[in-house]
Amino acid sequence: QKEVEQNSGPLSVPEGAIASLNCTYSDRGSQSFFWYRQYSGKSPELIMSIYSNGDKEDGRFTAQLNKASQYVSLLIRDSQPSDSATYLCAGGDSNYQLIWGAGTKLIIKP
Amino acid sequence: DVKVTQSSRYLVKRTGEKVFLECVQDMDHENMFWYRQDPGLGLRLIYFSYDVKMKEKGDIPEGYSVSREKKERFSLILESASTNQTSMYLCASSSGQSGANVLTFGAGSRLTVL
């Protein structure tokens, strides 16, 4: 069974520090990976996508993919209270269907 | 600037009632999806559609049906609502095959079945 696993948290990080969110996946056929952010009571929104091994940076966010280890991570630099949310990791194949993790709740402490 | 609109934000229905959840997108996206989200279980795909009048079952289609008569509209139908269908329902859309996994979500419809 295809699975994406995340630690549910909560992960508590001081303001200004680096938040590190991790995700592992079981399906070696997954070709693309996504990080969605979901604020409490809101719907998910895409913040990062990554398709190849290595790092991808976008502002304060860096996504990392290691296909050999089946591992995806999201780093948030200079964490702000507004980054407090649940972060959903998802893996995609070519069949329109994403495999979702249950999400990690991140709390940034001022 | 609203791109994916779900018709009802909150609904309360009784067991056995028929429930319609409507979703409209204005981005000319080919693909549309219905998910349900429950605490600790993450997002689970109910049905999706990659073209008008086309539908594909997701992971948990039992008890649900869908309709896509127009490109912009994707409806989720609960023929006879049950208490275990109490959940948050999320509609999403995406463009084409290469961008199929880049989803734009609606605000969600929280359904309570009594």
Side-chain angles (χ1 to χ4, degrees):
Chain A
Q1 186 173 351
K2 301 176 183 179
E3 290 183 335
V4 171
E5 295 192 357
Q6 298 180 254
N7 189 319
S8 61
L11 174 65
S12 184
V13 174
E15 184 176 356
I18 296 175
S20 178
L21 302 163
N22 304 313
C23 167
T24 59
Y25 62 95
S26 63
D27 180 21
R28 288 195 175 271
S30 294
Q31 301 167 5
S32 53
F33 297 87
F34 304 86
W35 285 98
Y36 284 78
R37 178 177 62 199
Q38 186 173 25
Y39 291 115
S40 180
K42 302 293 186 181
S43 56
E45 58 178 334
L46 179 69
I47 53 170
M48 289 288 285
S49 59
I50 187 164
Y51 299 90
S52 55
N53 275 330
D55 295 0
K56 178 182 177 182
E57 187 174 319
D58 184 0
R60 296 187 296 112
F61 297 94
T62 299
Q64 299 174 318
L65 174 59
N66 184 326
K67 289 188 177 181
S69 300
Q70 296 179 247
Y71 179 91
V72 190
S73 64
L74 179 70
L75 302 178
I76 306 174
R77 289 182 298 281
D78 189 24
S79 297
Q80 302 296 310
S82 59
D83 295 325
S84 297
T86 296
Y87 289 80
L88 305 174
C89 173
D93 55 19
S94 59
N95 295 324
Y96 297 91
Q97 296 193 43
L98 284 167
I99 310 299
W100 295 85
T104 297
K105 184 173 183 177
L106 176 65
I107 298 172
I108 307 299
K109 290 187 171 179
Chain B
D1 190 39
V2 175
K3 298 177 178 178
V4 180
T5 303
Q6 294 185 228
S7 56
S8 303
R9 190 78 175 90
Y10 299 96
L11 303 94
V12 179
K13 298 292 182 180
R14 298 215 173 264
T15 301
E17 282 192 89
K18 193 169 186 176
V19 181
F20 292 89
L21 299 178
E22 298 280 319
C23 176
V24 177
Q25 51 94 5
D26 63 1
M27 296 171 287
D28 201 35
H29 280 172
E30 291 81 3
N31 313 312
M32 296 189 75
F33 305 80
W34 275 106
Y35 285 92
R36 65 177 283 177
Q37 186 174 32
D38 301 288
L41 295 179
L43 286 162
R44 292 182 290 170
L45 182 63
I46 304 171
Y47 270 96
F48 68 98
S49 168
Y50 55 85
D51 201 354
V52 176
K53 296 192 183 294
M54 303 299 291
K55 60 184 179 183
E56 296 285 343
K57 293 180 180 180
D59 299 319
I60 52 164
E62 295 79 16
Y64 304 94
S65 62
V66 291
S67 172
R68 193 167 182 201
E69 295 296 319
K70 294 184 178 182
K71 187 176 185 180
E72 68 271 18
R73 188 180 299 269
F74 193 35
S75 302
L76 180 69
I77 302 145
L78 289 67
E79 293 288 343
S80 178
S82 62
T83 54
N84 63 11
Q85 294 178 310
T86 292
S87 186
M88 171 66 84
Y89 289 88
L90 292 166
C91 175
S93 70
S94 67
S95 176
Q97 188 165 4
S98 61
N101 292 326
V102 179
L103 304 180
T104 300
F105 284 89
S109 298
R110 184 166 293 281
L111 172 66
T112 301
V113 182
L114 302 176

